[in-house]
Every structure is written in C-alpha cells, then in structure tokens.
Amino acid sequence: MSAIPMPVTPVEEQKCIMFQFPSKGGSNAKSASVGVSNKTYAIKDENKLKLYISYYNKKKKFSIIDMEKYALVMFELCVGLRISDIIPRTWDDVIDGDGYREFIRVRQKKTSKYGEFGINPLLQSVLDEYKAALKKYYGEFNSEWYLFPSSKSATGHITRQGAWKWVNEGAAYAGIELNVSNHGLRKTFGYTSMKTHQDDAMLLATLMRLFGHSSERITLAYCGLDEDNNKELYNDVSNYYTDSIP
C-alpha cells in the first residue's frame, strides 16, 4: 500500500459531537456500553436528511479532512455497504480507467458473501471533487491509497470508531436526536430506496440480496418500514375513533 502524506489536523478536527442515551436496562444492559444506546435508525425525515448532508457539504472546503468526511458520508448513503466493508476500499476498487466502475464487487466481512454495489452519478461527482482536493493538497495522487485514510497513520485507513464520530457530527445540526452511526446511514440507504421505488415490485428482493437478509420481513424492519406501518395503523385507528365521537 502506497503511503499517503500525513494531513495537518486543525484544532477543530479534534472536536466531535457524541450522543448518549440512557440505558433502559434489561438482559442486554450488561453487554452494552453504560448509558449508550446500541440501536441505530434510518434518517427518515427528508428535511433533516437534507440538513444533515448540507452540514458536511458546507464544511468540506475548510480542510482535506472535512472533504474526506463529506465523501465518507455520501459513500455510505449512496452505496449501502457496512462500514467494515467501506474502510478497506482503495481508489483502485472504484476507479476504472479514466472513470468509475459502475459496480464494485465486495466480499462482505460479516457474511463472507460477495455482493455488487453500485456507484451512482452523484457519488461519482463527489469522488471527483474529493480526488481533486487530494491532488491539490498533496500535490500528487496514487490510486493505491485508501479511499478514507487515517489522519494518524500514513499507511492505514480510518477506523470504525473514527468513522462513527464523523457521521454523528452532523446530527445535532440537522436536529436528529436518535442514534445515527454508520449503520444508521446504511439503513437510510435502504429506507430511501424503498420510499423512492414504491411501485418497483423487485426492489424488496434486490435490497434483501444487497443486505444479505433471509426474509422480506427482516428487510422491512431493517429499513424502518415496519415502524412506519405501525404508526399508520395506530393513527388510522385513532382517526376512526375520533370520527365516531359526537
């Protein structure tokens, strides 16, 4: 792996927003970190999602690390891979000649199964911007570099913990109170896919395959659609009773 020059980390890069939630106890209380919720959620509110993305989009001009944060967030939102399968990726994994691969084939760490994940036009434009920023900052570019290098190691990539801090920074700005995390962005990819392709009969099967799920019910729950259906059911019951009250 070709070493990447070490970036200078500005003081503000040492700061991040951490979200903690009270533990409700129960059988998993001992295995969970005290005071921290392990459950992650898709960002379902369209306005909050736009604000969340705009936080990183606005900050990207301040430093090369801010540009890297923006690229990471967009990669997670656009591709739907687990963070453990994103951080080992190099530029060679996504570049094809002078352009980008339409799909990248990844052997997923958790399941050992191969999957094909697309690089859509939006992500391509983000990666173009990111690559240009790297060339300008370092005066060079090497396709053997990790897509998301560590700011602490010239030859390593960002850690899962580091990525977790990055993707949670924009939550407060967007007014998101629930736990986002890297897995939450993967769920957001699924939720957005479902909401924007409601008439696509094959979409659920496609998401099942991408996520490696064994049933449609698991995929619906994973993307948060079951929660939406539950809310709709209870609201409909409420409206029915309200209309019956003289």
Side-chain angles (χ1 to χ4, degrees):
M1 179 63 62
S2 176
I4 186 171
M6 293 294 289
V8 178
T9 306
V11 175
E12 61 267 22
E13 295 303 327
Q14 305 299 330
K15 302 176 182 179
C16 66
I17 300 172
M18 306 281 283
F19 293 93
Q20 292 190 330
F21 300 87
S23 174
K24 294 183 179 180
S27 60
N28 295 324
K30 293 183 179 180
S31 62
S33 299
V34 176
V36 179
S37 171
N38 289 327
K39 185 171 176 58
T40 58
Y41 300 85
I43 305 173
K44 298 180 181 181
D45 187 301
E46 184 177 351
N47 291 326
K48 289 184 178 181
L49 180 57
K50 288 179 178 179
L51 282 172
Y52 177 78
I53 293 173
S54 71
Y55 169 85
Y56 296 94
N57 188 35
K58 290 176 180 178
K59 284 194 66 179
K60 68 186 179 185
K61 62 183 178 182
F62 294 137
S63 72
I64 191 63
I65 294 179
D66 284 313
M67 182 70 236
E68 185 178 351
K69 291 178 183 179
Y70 173 61
L72 176 66
V73 165
M74 296 310 298
F75 199 98
E76 292 193 53
L77 287 172
C78 288
V79 178
L81 269 169
R82 292 182 182 87
I83 189 61
S84 58
D85 296 316
I86 292 176
I87 56 179
R89 303 274 72 79
T90 68
W91 282 93
D92 276 331
D93 290 326
V94 299
I95 291 177
D96 182 17
D98 295 329
Y100 293 95
R101 304 180 191 279
E102 186 176 0
F103 290 92
I104 55 175
R105 183 170 172 79
V106 176
R107 185 176 183 180
Q108 299 171 80
K109 185 176 181 180
K110 183 176 181 179
T111 63
S112 296
K113 295 179 181 178
Y114 283 95
E116 289 189 339
F117 298 83
I119 304 177
N120 63 31
L122 172 60
L123 182 56
Q124 291 180 24
S125 66
V126 171
L127 291 176
D128 269 338
E129 190 177 4
Y130 179 32
K131 183 166 64 173
L134 289 172
K135 287 181 178 179
K136 181 178 180 180
Y137 186 86
Y138 294 116
E140 61 177 310
F141 174 79
N142 192 319
S143 63
E144 293 183 354
W145 288 350
Y146 286 114
L147 269 174
F148 306 107
S150 169
S151 60
K152 300 178 181 179
S153 169
T155 57
H157 55 64
I158 187 174
T159 64
R160 292 177 60 182
Q161 293 78 9
W164 183 89
K165 293 177 182 179
W166 283 6
V167 303
N168 276 283
E169 281 186 23
Y173 176 84
I176 301 170
E177 297 179 354
L178 298 175
N179 191 19
V180 179
S181 85
N182 303 100
H183 218 59
L185 296 192
R186 189 171 188 245
K187 291 180 178 181
T188 302
F189 165 82
Y191 181 82
T192 303
S193 299
M194 295 288 291
K195 297 298 286 187
T196 55
H197 291 80
Q198 295 184 41
D199 297 327
D200 185 351
M202 293 299 297
L203 179 68
L204 187 54
T206 300
L207 286 177
M208 282 177 56
R209 175 173 53 80
L210 287 176
F211 290 146
H213 293 159
S214 58
S215 73
E216 294 182 355
R217 187 182 67 82
I218 292 175
T219 300
L220 287 172
Y222 187 83
C223 296
L225 269 296
D226 61 335
E227 295 172 358
D228 287 358
N229 291 338
N230 287 345
K231 288 180 181 179
E232 184 177 356
L233 183 150
Y234 280 99
N235 286 335
D236 288 345
V237 169
S238 174
N239 292 335
Y240 180 83
Y241 290 157
T242 300
D243 292 340
S244 301
I245 297 175

